[in-house]
Amino acid sequence: MATFVIVGAGLAGAKAAQTLREEGFDGEIVLIGAETERPYERPPLSKDYLQGRSERDGIFVHAPDWYADNGVDLRLGLRVTRIELDHHLVRLGDGSRQPYDKLLVATGAVPRRLPGPAYYLRTVEDSEALKARFTEGASVLVVGASWIGLETAAAARTAGCEVTVVEPEPTALNRALGPELGGLFARLHASKGVELRFGTAAAEITETGVRLSSGERLTADLVVVGIGAAPEVWLARDAGLDVGQGILTDAALRTSHPDVFAAGDVAEFFHPSYDRRIRVEHWANALHGGPVAARSMLGQDVAHDMLPYFFTDQYDLGMEFSGDIEGHDEIVYRGDPESLEFIAYWLRGGRVVAGMNVNVWDVVDEIQELIKSGVIVDQKELSTG
Ligand SMILES: Cc1cc2nc3c(=O)[nH]c(=O)nc-3n(C[C@H](O)[C@H](O)[C@H](O)COP(=O)(O)OP(=O)(O)OC[C@H]3O[C@@H](n4cnc5c(N)ncnc54)[C@H](O)[C@@H]3O)c2cc1C
């Protein structure tokens, strides 16, 4: 009987296990996770769960019994310490070893850290620790005006905290959305009473707050750092797999070893539409990438070719984003951005390369079709719908 081992019991790993069973795999599935919780979804951790608006039960990928019911040997609180490609086995933190026929590495990413006493937001424990500190009147200093930083700022502000955000870029989400639409998020937060400090970095974090690169000191009850995440590639690298920004794979999520696959945040996979490798740290990439890797492990001819997709909720703004703005030369709007109910299209050479719908729903398929089609669009038609 074949044994498929999955390292990393996050969304990608759990969805891969589910797909293996749905596709009729009747061998052994071993799902190994370093965390003590069964696989859960991270987006609520910086949104409704952090705000105390949703229950803990709602974050999990599967019900507690699902693993036993589906013959998935879920081993939690256990870290894989080494992959031995030549022997087809992984070594575990408890000294044991687990042989495999096929291996999926879905080890995700970990927050980038700064020296000094600060909070981070990756795990359910991190979210619960922050929730406990977000009390009326507490002063919260957030380092980083990207997705996690802004969602954290929104949750803290909604809880009645005094919130300051520090960011070296000239505005919020500058790299993800560019200055025009990043600026819109900055104005949203300012309108809710968040103080935003752009063009300055956190030089030092202390018990009482932060010293900025400008020399100014800001005091705060707590500091939360959200400056991005680094893919957990060391296992793969030590094993001798090809690694770039993430674990390098082809479009079928096969690594440089034919029996090893990678999915989710940790994978840098070849995307047929972009004709290059990309790494995507978003929920939908793990949700769809896990199943693609599972099918690939079963020898099916598959490609992970979904467009990058992301969503966020901040205050009463909900948005979905598809594509990649890189190289865009124009932005076309349908609706008025200041009304916070609009669609933005990023164009390159007259073709749509990315789209963002803000408080407008059920348009993602249409936006993604436009991007995939690669047609030169009529801008007037695009702006009027
Ligand atoms: C707070 C937060 C909010 C987010 N919000 C959004 C959002 O709104 N929209 C969106 O699109 N995306 C969002 N994301 C991103 C999204 O959650 C991730 O892209 C997704 O979780 C990636 O899933 P994954 O399975 O690849 O990795 P992970 O979820 O990181 O799971 C990997 C697991 O592997 C385990 N692991 C690592 N190394 C080992 C080892 N050696 N042995 C055993 N286990 C190991 C880790 O402990 C972890 O549990 C958010 C992320 C965070 C942290």
Side-chain angles (χ1 to χ4, degrees):
M1 193 166 65
T3 299
F4 285 8
V5 171
I6 302 169
V7 188
L11 182 59
K15 282 288 164 186
Q18 180 183 336
T19 304
L20 287 173
R21 284 292 178 247
E22 284 170 358
E23 292 291 318
F25 177 66
D26 60 2
E28 199 182 344
I29 301 174
V30 184
L31 176 56
I32 304 165
E35 293 184 60
T36 49
E37 300 289 346
R38 70 183 192 275
Y40 58 89
E41 310 228 7
R42 300 189 195 274
L45 306 184
S46 50
K47 305 179 185 65
D48 39 346
Y49 188 65
L50 181 57
Q51 292 180 22
R53 290 194 289 116
S54 66
E55 296 299 318
R56 204 170 200 273
D57 283 354
I59 66 172
F60 295 99
V61 182
H62 295 113
D65 298 342
W66 183 89
Y67 299 91
D69 290 350
N70 286 275
V72 174
D73 180 3
L74 178 63
R75 301 193 199 156
L76 295 174
L78 200 53
R79 198 168 271 281
V80 170
T81 54
R82 196 175 160 85
I83 301 170
E84 295 188 10
L85 297 174
D86 290 346
H87 300 112
H88 274 69
L89 64 82
V90 295
R91 288 189 181 274
L92 301 163
D94 63 0
S96 65
R97 53 174 76 179
Q98 172 62 52
Y100 65 80
D101 293 290
K102 300 261 165 88
L103 176 71
L104 172 61
V105 183
T107 44
V110 288
R112 291 186 198 282
R113 292 185 170 261
L114 292 174
Y119 286 80
Y120 293 83
L121 184 44
R122 182 80 194 175
T123 65
V124 63
E125 289 83 7
D126 294 339
S127 178
E128 286 165 356
L130 277 180
K131 189 169 17 184
R133 297 293 310 266
F134 285 177
T135 51
E136 182 86 36
S139 55
V140 178
L141 196 144
V142 178
V143 179
S146 197
W147 302 116
I148 299 274
L150 292 186
E151 289 176 1
T152 304
R157 194 68 198 117
T158 304
C161 305
E162 297 300 321
V163 183
T164 304
V165 177
V166 173
E167 164 64 56
E169 296 272 336
T171 191
L173 300 167
N174 200 38
R175 269 172 288 173
L177 300 180
E180 211 168 297
L181 282 150
L184 186 109
F185 277 84
R187 290 196 295 283
L188 170 70
H189 279 266
S191 76
K192 301 289 181 186
V194 173
E195 192 183 335
L196 298 133
R197 301 289 194 100
F198 294 118
T200 184
E204 188 189 5
I205 301 173
T206 64
E207 295 292 348
T208 54
V210 160
R211 181 173 58 80
L212 300 179
S213 47
S214 60
E216 191 185 350
R217 286 184 186 274
L218 300 178
T219 55
D221 295 326
L222 65 148
V223 177
V224 189
V225 175
I227 55 167
E232 275 280 80
V233 292
W234 61 270
L235 256 187
R237 184 179 283 133
D238 286 1
L241 294 169
D242 289 349
V243 171
Q245 298 298 312
I247 302 174
L248 299 184
T249 78
D250 62 11
L253 301 180
R254 282 182 293 243
T255 69
S256 53
H257 189 286
D259 294 326
V260 184
F261 301 75
D265 282 6
V266 79
E268 186 181 349
F269 60 99
F270 181 82
H271 196 296
S273 306
Y274 292 108
D275 198 27
R276 62 181 162 88
R277 286 204 176 97
I278 62 171
R279 199 172 70 77
V280 180
E281 277 179 16
H282 296 334
W283 167 86
N285 178 58
L287 184 77
H288 296 282
V292 169
R295 293 195 181 95
S296 200
M297 291 166 93
L298 294 169
Q300 296 178 17
D301 186 15
V302 286
H304 184 39
D305 56 2
M306 68 166 291
L307 285 177
Y309 164 89
F310 178 79
F311 64 91
T312 187
D313 296 313
Q314 296 171 32
Y315 311 105
D316 41 10
L317 179 152
M319 81 82 163
E320 296 171 285
F321 176 91
S322 304
D324 183 353
I325 69 166
E326 204 182 295
H328 77 276
D329 46 35
E330 216 170 337
I331 304 176
V332 172
Y333 295 99
R334 183 182 298 174
D336 174 12
E338 297 306 322
S339 73
L340 296 185
E341 198 176 308
F342 67 99
I343 306 175
Y345 300 93
W346 284 260
L347 271 57
R348 185 170 59 222
R351 297 175 168 85
V352 178
V353 291
M356 175 171 84
N357 45 304
V358 174
N359 290 340
V360 174
W361 305 110
D362 301 323
V363 291
V364 167
D365 288 350
E366 187 191 309
I367 291 171
Q368 295 199 350
E369 279 312 311
L370 259 184
I371 299 172
K372 282 191 206 144
S373 73
V375 295
I376 296 197
V377 290
D378 179 329
Q379 294 196 15
K380 196 152 184 248
E381 219 173 275
L382 200 59
S383 64
T384 51

